[in-house]
Amino acid sequence: MTDPWVALEPGADPAERVRALRRAHETFTTAGTVPRPVRSVVAESWRRSARAGVGPDGTASVELTDSDLGAYRAEHPLARVMPLFRELMGTFAADGEHLLAVCDAHGRLLWVEGHRATRRRADGMNFVPGARWSESAVGTNAPGTAVAVDRAVQVFAAEHFIRRVQPWTCAAAPVHDPRTGRVLGAVDITGGDGLAHPHSLGFVQAVARAAEAQLALLAPAPAAPGTPLLGALGRDEAELVLDGRRARLSRRHSEILVLLARHPEGLTGDELLCALYADESVTPVTLRAELARLRRVLGTGVLASRPYRLGAAVESDVAVVERRLRAGAVTAAAKAYTGPVLPGSQAPAIVRLRERLADGLRTALIARRDPDLLADWAHAPWGEDDVTVWRALAAVRPTAPVRARLAALEAELTAQAGRTPGRTGGATYLQRPRA
């Protein structure tokens, strides 16, 4: 092959190529060796698929359905270029009895559109919106492999790792965030052997580049200078960026700003006292002194009183995670979550906020059953003792290290319960003193 990324060059016999690939696939799945006719990009993908534990008789699982899928798609960046995808590829897919598909960066199919009869056939292998088609889930396939290797790729017939997918041919290209270069997902064309041509690969590449250009035009303008930005996740002392100035706040000032950012209408002195101090003996004088010191840190015009409120809207990382969770964008929320809210704070309102945000996100992760997202949480400092998440991870990724870690946590939990007379039920977190 002169171009290793093209599955079938013009003039090649598709039937003979299919027979050779089927023999090669059988050799690999039984003996673990890749015969010479297999392209290097496919051979490497087969090896990754095998290492991920994918079986040749497996099938894709549907992870997002109904309202979860709708909410996730609505907030996904590629939703903004779906009209462009349909304009450029819709007629080609319908007339050629192909499918237009778009996946996210984890290989989950967000949209599958095109010829009606072809869609019905694709339903039989779960090539449907909400299904996970990453390499680690279903082996070699164009959208999943394009995301894995971050470049356009064509997969022909028995080059697919899973046998039930081998009657199909597909070509896909990754789509990147034009500002950061991050992979957002991939655009794919799926159908019959007629797609095994250099033109189909060039076509999806051109569509992906057009989508990136469109995203660049649609990108929102950067925040205006002076927009306050508050970071309170995963840090005991919040960081405030104001007028280009970066300030690290004291713990008490951090608590006050987090609360006022969540209450743009303002809070009275009594409301702030109850929110900040568990000790009812703390007087309003103490609070006023703290607010006076905070006003000096922030500068004039930022902190107003009667009621206490911020003079301008503040964007916070806490609010970003909350918005994404409300929209059902669990993956985006998990990526924005860099740790508990002010983890060292004992202020009653902050404790409630911290627990509510963490519990909401971990509940969504468990319901989503995404092994990568669960693993990210379980291996983070705030999730390393989260027995419930480790159980959920073991259910979807039962590797030896995961099972060993879960067994150790279960043993510790049993021992801990035994040291607590009269205790019933099981905690989801091991009770460890904070360092």
Side-chain angles (χ1 to χ4, degrees):
M1 301 287 288
T2 57
D3 184 348
W5 298 93
V6 174
L8 195 66
E9 291 186 334
D13 182 354
E16 176 55 36
R17 183 71 176 165
V18 168
R19 286 192 290 271
L21 286 171
R22 284 178 176 162
R23 290 193 296 268
H25 185 270
E26 183 66 22
T27 298
F28 179 77
T29 55
T30 56
T33 58
V34 184
R36 189 175 181 80
V38 179
R39 293 183 292 151
S40 60
V41 61
V42 174
E44 292 165 5
S45 177
W46 282 2
R47 295 186 185 103
R48 287 194 300 270
S49 303
R51 287 196 298 269
V54 180
D57 296 312
T59 190
S61 61
V62 178
E63 296 183 347
L64 297 175
T65 58
D66 303 329
S67 60
D68 283 344
L69 174 62
Y72 183 63
R73 290 196 302 197
E75 192 172 327
H76 197 278
L78 292 181
R80 309 178 77 186
V81 290
M82 271 308 296
L84 176 70
F85 289 148
R86 293 181 180 117
E87 179 183 353
L88 296 178
M89 302 178 70
T91 301
F92 175 76
D95 291 350
E97 300 187 3
H98 306 316
L99 298 177
L100 155 65
V102 177
C103 73
D104 67 7
H106 299 281
R108 280 184 294 252
L109 297 179
L110 303 181
W111 292 272
V112 179
E113 302 176 0
H115 192 269
R116 183 174 299 177
T118 308
R119 285 189 64 182
R120 285 198 297 269
R121 288 197 297 118
D123 289 350
M125 61 176 182
N126 270 356
F127 195 78
V128 295
R132 188 181 185 92
W133 277 76
S134 63
E135 256 194 6
S136 61
V138 294
T140 308
N141 70 94
T145 300
V147 167
V149 301
D150 192 14
R151 67 167 296 167
V153 64
Q154 201 171 49
V155 179
F156 169 65
E159 289 181 333
H160 289 93
F161 192 79
I162 289 183
R163 292 189 179 95
R164 72 179 61 196
V165 190
Q166 292 179 351
W168 299 80
T169 292
C170 47
V175 181
H176 303 84
D177 185 317
R179 295 169 298 172
T180 66
R182 178 173 62 91
V183 174
L184 298 174
V187 58
D188 166 83
I189 190 79
T190 288
D193 292 352
L195 289 176
H197 191 283
H199 291 169
S200 69
L201 187 62
F203 178 46
V204 293
Q205 285 179 296
V207 171
R209 299 298 81 76
E212 290 169 354
Q214 181 79 348
L215 287 170
L217 291 174
L218 295 173
T227 300
L229 303 173
L230 181 65
L233 293 176
R235 55 175 75 225
D236 289 332
E237 297 178 333
E239 183 179 79
L240 179 68
V241 179
L242 179 63
D243 293 329
R245 179 169 54 96
R246 192 178 299 271
R248 184 174 177 177
L249 305 173
S250 71
R251 182 171 295 184
R252 187 62 76 195
H253 290 170
S254 300
E255 296 164 346
I256 293 171
L257 270 190
V258 167
L259 294 175
L260 293 182
R262 291 178 56 77
H263 295 277
E265 75 283 2
L267 295 170
T268 66
D270 286 343
E271 288 172 330
L272 267 178
L273 270 176
C274 293
L276 292 170
Y277 300 100
D279 184 357
E280 296 182 0
S281 67
V282 176
T283 65
V285 174
T286 301
L287 176 60
R288 286 197 293 271
E290 286 288 1
L291 290 165
R293 285 190 285 270
L294 177 58
R295 188 175 281 112
R296 289 195 293 271
V297 171
L298 299 178
T300 58
V302 179
L303 180 60
S305 56
R306 296 184 181 178
Y308 294 109
R309 63 196 186 279
L310 298 175
V314 172
E315 176 67 295
S316 73
D317 50 3
V318 176
V320 168
V321 175
E322 288 180 313
R323 284 198 303 270
R324 293 178 178 180
L325 271 180
R326 284 196 298 270
V330 178
T331 300
K335 288 184 175 180
Y337 186 81
T338 54
V341 181
L342 301 178
S345 172
Q346 296 303 312
I350 298 295
V351 171
R352 290 193 296 271
L353 171 61
R354 180 167 64 234
E355 292 176 350
R356 185 166 62 247
L357 186 65
D359 288 347
L361 180 54
R362 65 192 289 275
T363 298
L365 294 177
I366 292 168
R368 181 60 52 85
R369 293 175 57 82
D370 183 315
D372 294 329
L373 295 179
L374 288 169
D376 287 345
W377 182 279
H379 291 290
W382 55 86
E384 59 186 4
D385 294 329
D386 190 335
V387 181
T388 303
V389 168
W390 279 98
R391 288 170 182 158
L393 178 59
V396 295
R397 181 174 284 170
T399 62
V402 170
R403 292 197 303 268
R405 176 60 179 160
L406 176 59
L409 290 175
E410 297 274 17
E412 287 187 65
L413 190 62
T414 300
Q416 192 175 85
R419 292 193 297 268
T420 307
R423 182 173 179 174
T424 60
T428 56
Y429 285 90
L430 291 173
Q431 305 300 310
R432 303 189 192 279
R434 177 176 168 80

